[in-house]
Amino acid sequence: MSDMVEAGSAEIEQIESEICALAGQIAAASAQYLILVGEFDSRRGWAAWELRSCAHWLSWRAGVDLHTAREQVRVAKAMRELPLITSAYLSGTISYSKVRAMTRVATAENEASLLQKALDAPAAHIERLCRGLKKATRPTRRNGVDLDPCVGRWRWDENDGSLVFSARFRPEDGKRFLAALTRAEYERTRTGDEADADRAAPAPPNPVPAMIAMAEMVCAALDSPVVSPAAEVLVHIGGMEEAGHDHAHFDDGPGLDDETLAQVLCSAVMRTVGHGRLGKTVRWSSTAKSPSRTQMRQLIIRDRCCAVPGCGRTRFMHAHHVTYRSRGGETTLDNLVLLCGEHHRALHDGYFFIEARGDQCFSFRHPSGTEIIHAPAVSGEADEIRRQYGGIAPDAIVPNWGGEGLDLSYATDVLITNWQQAA
């Protein structure tokens, strides 16, 4: 019986050692991963596809949640200025959790002391310590930095779900805010035959209805449409008899080649004016057919956002004809796809192209012919990490911690005092 217990105990110790060894190897691999992310971001490698940020590229190509991707990019940028922490991370002696916490407060001047704490304490303590340091070093009058008096707070009341809002304004901003309340209250209560507002009137004693009116006015003024409205464009078409070939130009504008003329159709409602000899107008077309409102609703329901893999934009959409109308393309859902303005321009600039496969299915391809897929597969081998980072000691990531608790107030005071004396 004792032999079985000893065997079971030995097996548990082996599993424990294996977990710690893998944790150190994963930390070293993730350090290399973040170094590459930082380099990729600094070179703006993600910008070729008109994506919003490196985080959006990671979400698309690496299968990372967008919030996690943003945090990884933040850490990767910070690591470029913190060589000591980066070196320890590469050696597998500190985890991503510790690095993530330290990069919120670490500088080139204080990273050595923070790193020593990270080597001597568990991740939970480092997270609390860095959160406390962040709070303690915020600009306040107490530490010699004047706070901006423009502060505000809002929260949802847990009892009835109402929004509770409080704010403090500079005098000049406060007068402007009260004047805006006066104007909003006038617009909220005005009738059709009233004259102009009395701008010298006092603000309403109950400002909430006026504030709601202000919010509605701002939303109405700045609301960005889902579909980008198209402009009507006049294109003059010359006669083939005189020039020997058909030619086109904008109204009071430059000439257009066939490719440019085809591109205009994608983002504008075009009306053509035909000319005969001596510039005589011989035909005036109706506006070129664009997607109907029903088709636009169907496109929005089908695509939801820009259809380019990894984009996700939902405002200022264009309905793109995969086969141009000038080349016989039909205005049907089998030939229409939603694109944001950035990707629409990138498409016509030749950064990628789209193929219609029928049944409202489309493929996106790089100029080289490589297909761009919506969710690239992510693969890897645990054994490869073992081979590449096998030189890391099994207990490298285990901190030198004796089980003592963290006195947050004392630790932050000591660190901040040491940093101030060193400066």
Side-chain angles (χ1 to χ4, degrees):
M1 184 67 177
S2 60
D3 293 340
M4 294 179 61
V5 172
E6 291 178 359
S9 176
E11 183 178 348
I12 291 297
E13 291 177 357
Q14 182 179 357
I15 293 174
E16 179 182 1
S17 177
E18 183 77 2
I19 290 173
C20 293
L22 277 174
Q25 294 164 7
I26 290 171
S30 64
Q32 184 62 37
Y33 163 80
L34 290 178
I35 289 173
L36 294 174
V37 168
E39 182 68 19
F40 186 77
D41 182 57
S42 68
R43 297 188 182 187
R44 293 179 61 83
W46 47 269
W49 289 102
E50 301 295 337
L51 295 179
R52 300 184 193 180
S53 66
C54 186
H56 286 81
W57 185 89
L58 285 174
S59 179
W60 169 41
R61 296 289 291 178
V64 182
D65 171 72
L66 191 56
H67 174 76
T68 303
R70 289 193 180 103
E71 191 70 358
Q72 288 179 350
V73 173
R74 181 193 67 79
V75 174
K77 288 180 178 179
M79 285 172 55
R80 296 170 68 88
E81 308 296 329
L82 302 170
L84 298 180
I85 290 176
T86 301
S87 177
Y89 195 13
L90 279 169
S91 67
T93 55
I94 54 175
S95 66
Y96 172 71
S97 296
K98 292 181 178 181
V99 174
R100 181 183 61 187
M102 286 189 292
T103 51
R104 296 192 184 107
V105 294
T107 64
E109 292 74 24
N110 65 22
E111 65 165 330
S113 57
L114 279 175
L115 177 59
Q116 188 57 52
K117 290 291 183 182
L119 294 173
D120 294 337
H125 286 190
I126 300 303
E127 179 68 35
R128 286 184 58 207
L129 176 63
C130 292
R131 194 183 303 123
L133 288 170
K134 184 76 172 179
K135 183 177 180 180
T137 55
R138 284 185 305 190
T140 63
R141 291 190 179 91
R142 185 178 304 172
N143 59 26
V145 180
D146 289 336
L147 276 178
D148 189 335
C150 294
V151 293
R153 298 286 186 272
W154 65 269
R155 62 180 176 83
W156 296 106
D157 189 273
E158 296 180 356
N159 296 324
D160 59 3
S162 59
L163 177 67
V164 179
F165 179 82
S166 63
R168 180 186 297 272
F169 296 90
R170 294 177 183 269
E172 62 274 21
D173 294 332
K175 291 291 290 184
R176 189 177 297 112
F177 180 76
L178 292 178
L181 284 177
T182 299
R183 179 59 185 270
E185 180 69 7
Y186 167 77
E187 296 293 343
R188 186 182 72 87
T189 58
R190 68 181 296 184
T191 58
D193 55 353
E194 284 192 41
D196 291 339
D198 180 8
R199 298 187 179 183
N206 178 15
V208 172
M211 292 175 68
I212 295 173
M214 287 170 57
E216 293 174 347
M217 291 161 64
V218 171
C219 290
L222 301 181
D223 189 24
S224 56
V226 173
V227 179
S228 183
E232 181 172 309
V233 176
L234 283 180
V235 177
H236 295 259
I237 306 293
M240 295 179 63
E241 308 86 36
E242 299 82 9
H245 62 279
D246 204 8
H247 61 281
H249 65 89
F250 285 132
D251 188 43
D252 292 330
L256 305 173
D257 56 36
D258 291 342
E259 181 64 23
T260 304
L261 182 60
Q263 295 176 13
V264 170
L265 285 165
C266 285
S267 55
V269 176
M270 193 178 78
R271 189 189 297 273
T272 59
V273 182
H275 295 280
R277 296 189 61 182
L278 304 178
K280 180 181 178 180
T281 300
V282 296
R283 65 183 184 274
W284 174 269
S285 74
S286 60
T287 56
K289 186 179 180 182
S290 58
S292 66
R293 294 182 63 182
T294 299
Q295 286 178 317
M296 289 305 304
R297 284 197 296 268
Q298 292 172 330
L299 271 177
I300 292 169
I301 291 172
R302 185 193 72 187
D303 294 345
R304 296 292 180 183
C305 60
C306 177
V308 175
C311 180
R313 290 185 177 95
T314 59
R315 289 293 183 267
F316 296 102
M317 295 291 105
H318 299 174
H320 171 70
H321 286 72
V322 177
T323 301
Y324 296 159
R325 288 182 299 203
S326 59
R327 299 175 183 173
E330 298 180 347
T331 306
T332 64
L333 293 181
D334 286 332
N335 192 46
L336 292 172
V337 64
L338 276 185
L339 297 178
C340 66
E342 287 79 0
H343 279 116
H344 201 181
R345 288 187 289 273
L347 171 70
H348 287 304
D349 288 341
Y351 286 100
F352 67 100
F353 62 92
I354 306 174
E355 291 181 350
R357 299 185 298 182
D359 197 24
Q360 301 186 37
C361 294
F362 306 91
S363 62
F364 298 78
R365 295 187 180 276
H366 191 268
S368 64
T370 305
E371 184 175 2
I372 309 162
I373 58 179
H374 284 272
V378 178
S379 61
E381 294 183 6
D383 291 341
E384 178 62 27
I385 295 179
R386 293 172 186 267
R387 287 192 295 270
Q388 188 170 355
Y389 300 99
I392 295 175
D395 60 348
I397 203 168
V398 180
N400 302 318
W401 182 51
E404 60 276 4
L406 172 66
D407 188 337
L408 182 60
S409 179
Y410 174 76
T412 55
D413 285 345
V414 169
L415 283 173
I416 292 174
T417 299
N418 291 340
W419 296 343
Q420 290 174 345
Q421 290 176 350

